[in-house]
Amino acid sequence: MLGGIAISFEWLSTISNIFIMVNVVLAFFILFFERKTASSAWAWILVLFFIPILGFVLYLLFGKSLRRNRLKRPVAYENRDFTDLKDRQLEEMKSRSFQPTSVLDGKWMDIVQMNAARTDAPLSTASNIQIFNDGKRKFDALFDDIRAAEKHIHLQYFILNDDDLGSSLLALLTEKAQQGIKVLVLYDDLGSSSLPKHFFDAFHAAGGKSAAFLPAMLTSINPRINHRNHRKLVIIDGRIGYTGGFNVGDEYIGKKKEFGYWRDTHLRIEGQAVHSLQNRFFIDWNQAAEKYPMKYADTYFPKMNHPPGIPMQMVSSGPLETHEDIKNGYLKLIHHARESIYLQTPYFIPDKSIMDALRTAALGGVDVQLMIPHLADHLFVHSATLSFARELLEDGVKVYSYQNGFLHAKTLVVDKEAFSVGSANMDLRSFALNFELNAFVYDGEAAKDMANLFLQDRKLSAELTEADFKSQHWIEKAKQDIAKLVSPIL
């Protein structure tokens, strides 16, 4: 009996030593070979050494960097006109010969140049922008546009659910495919993991095509939590585009009791700017759909006859890039602020550069207002959000907690003159780990509309003060501090 116990302890000791050695090797690998920030690298090393076995599993799920060969190369797609436009604009900006049009204030030229230099984001214009802050109105408009489609429908969402909204959307897309309209659906494999295998059967039978982004390689369970395609895009006939924060599911139209009303922001765009969304969709589609690669054709990028209107750029970012391009766009907008900054985000886990930018703006007299949700869909992430918000209060930033359901909007409005809206949250995951897309809009009228939406939401919010945080129970404070400590890996 004692011999058996001794052998068991020997096995436990051996296994423990193996895990310690694996952790040491993994820590060395993280420090010297993984492309991570110092804070993220040290956070993972702490996790590995304080919870050695579980930490190893967590790293495999959350921590591994994305390798370029994990994504298929874009196949047989080149939009020469789009590339030439961007290159020509950038060359003119660098030589100072680029002349801002009557619709673009020259004060935004540095942001425009930075975005053009770093991403597939030439300056373009929209003849019309419609802002949606309600899911039912957004999907009603989207369904109407899909019904009117004449040539093609390209649709991309992070979450596509098999519920009333998701089934209704797919039924409509199937009907359009039966009419001979070319319909492509791209969804994220993890975000849409609840979809049953038969979900697309009728759609495929009608001639529609679908593809999953970064699907599980061996099983139906996808172990890769990071590096998801978080973009939300719809392009109809190359003339109408949608982008923003709404996914496809009943919760996004307020039909799930645990969230109540869902407050989000989405854009409906007409005009030349839709071509930027189309270009991004083609790249993402060809990375995911090996069997059905898309090639350039004029019909996907129709000529626009109406006059230019609202200047904007569609800025994308992802884990394969060396720069955090959407975050840098946020920083540029914040540094431009002289009067006001209105920021809405469901998850507020910024890095030091964003924190410093908001602090210095507030200390310099800019009216900086941050709005976060009162409800939490991820408790630990919400605790980290509260911790960072509490820190900003000390420097004069006003913080509001949205009470009328769940706030999922990702918007930044500066001086009521320019704004950004899209799929990127103000957190490290959106900055560096996921594939995102945001519209940067340089138009005073549209920016005032966005600012007014913020002010309307403020009436439905409670202001958080330093006294509120001081009165919290010590357990809640400790939870926030711990969440902030590990925030680089959330």
Side-chain angles (χ1 to χ4, degrees), residues 147-339:
R147 291 187 187 99
E150 297 177 349
K151 296 181 179 179
H152 65 264
I153 301 163
H154 298 157
L155 185 143
Q156 174 178 351
Y157 280 99
F158 172 62
I159 294 175
L160 176 59
N161 284 337
D162 179 25
D163 52 20
D164 289 345
L165 181 61
S167 297
S168 297
L169 176 60
L170 192 68
L172 180 56
L173 295 174
T174 301
E175 180 183 328
K176 297 303 291 187
Q178 289 170 340
Q179 296 172 10
I181 306 298
K182 187 177 183 64
V183 186
L184 305 178
V185 175
L186 176 61
Y187 60 96
D188 186 83
D189 187 67
L190 184 67
S192 306
S193 58
S194 64
L195 290 181
K197 291 183 179 180
H198 60 79
F199 184 73
F200 290 104
D201 286 355
F203 174 69
H204 291 159
K209 301 290 190 297
S210 68
F213 189 88
L214 276 186
M217 300 181 69
L218 298 176
T219 70
S220 59
I221 300 174
N222 197 325
R224 184 176 284 280
I225 307 299
N226 290 338
H227 312 130
R228 307 318 313 178
N229 197 317
H230 198 236
R231 297 170 183 140
K232 295 94 174 162
L233 310 177
V234 180
I235 304 95
I236 299 170
D237 292 341
R239 297 181 179 276
I240 297 172
Y242 286 80
T243 190
F246 283 106
N247 286 294
V248 180
D250 285 349
E251 62 266 39
Y252 298 94
I253 53 176
K255 291 178 66 174
K256 288 200 173 179
K257 291 182 179 179
E258 60 264 37
F259 293 112
Y261 181 73
W262 190 280
R263 171 63 180 90
D264 219 322
T265 306
H266 220 87
L267 300 182
R268 178 188 184 274
I269 300 162
E270 296 179 62
Q272 182 195 27
V274 176
H275 291 182
S276 292
L277 297 179
Q278 187 84 288
N279 188 71
R280 173 44 57 187
F281 177 86
F282 271 41
I283 294 171
D284 285 358
W285 176 265
N286 282 357
Q287 287 176 335
E290 185 177 21
K291 293 182 180 179
Y292 313 109
M294 293 293 293
K295 297 182 180 181
Y296 173 85
D298 290 341
T299 186
Y300 297 123
F301 299 88
K303 301 298 182 184
M304 304 290 179
N305 296 321
H306 42 68
I310 300 168
M312 60 194 308
Q313 291 175 289
M314 300 297 178
V315 178
S316 57
S317 65
L320 296 179
E321 307 300 330
T322 56
H323 293 63
E324 296 170 355
D325 296 305
I326 292 178
K327 184 197 80 172
N328 291 338
Y330 284 154
L331 285 170
K332 274 288 190 182
L333 281 179
I334 292 169
H335 289 316
H336 267 274
R338 295 297 177 267
E339 296 180 7

Side-chain angles (χ1 to χ4, degrees), residues 333-444:
L333 281 179
I334 292 169
H335 289 316
H336 267 274
R338 295 297 177 267
E339 296 180 7
S340 62
I341 297 171
Y342 297 155
L343 170 60
Q344 289 179 311
T345 181
Y347 318 116
F348 184 64
I349 306 179
D351 63 5
K352 188 175 185 299
S353 64
I354 293 289
M355 287 292 285
D356 287 345
L358 294 173
R359 280 196 190 98
T360 54
L363 292 170
V366 177
D367 178 22
V368 182
Q369 300 189 27
L370 166 66
M371 190 177 296
I372 57 177
H374 171 69
L375 292 175
D377 61 340
H378 301 290
L379 291 176
F380 207 59
V381 174
H382 190 65
S383 292
T385 291
L386 289 172
S387 180
F388 283 103
R390 178 183 65 189
E391 190 176 327
L392 286 179
L393 286 173
E394 301 171 4
D395 294 310
V397 175
K398 300 182 183 71
V399 179
Y400 297 92
S401 174
Y402 183 76
Q403 308 285 311
N404 187 42
F406 184 68
L407 178 71
H408 192 249
K410 308 104 165 37
T411 64
L412 174 63
V413 189
V414 170
D415 290 347
K416 300 179 182 178
E417 294 180 1
F419 67 91
S420 178
V421 60
S423 67
N425 300 302
M426 191 65 75
D427 66 4
L428 303 175
R429 180 168 297 279
S430 283
F431 293 162
L433 297 178
N434 285 341
F435 296 88
E436 308 279 4
L437 183 139
N438 271 45
F440 283 75
V441 183
Y442 316 105
D443 179 78

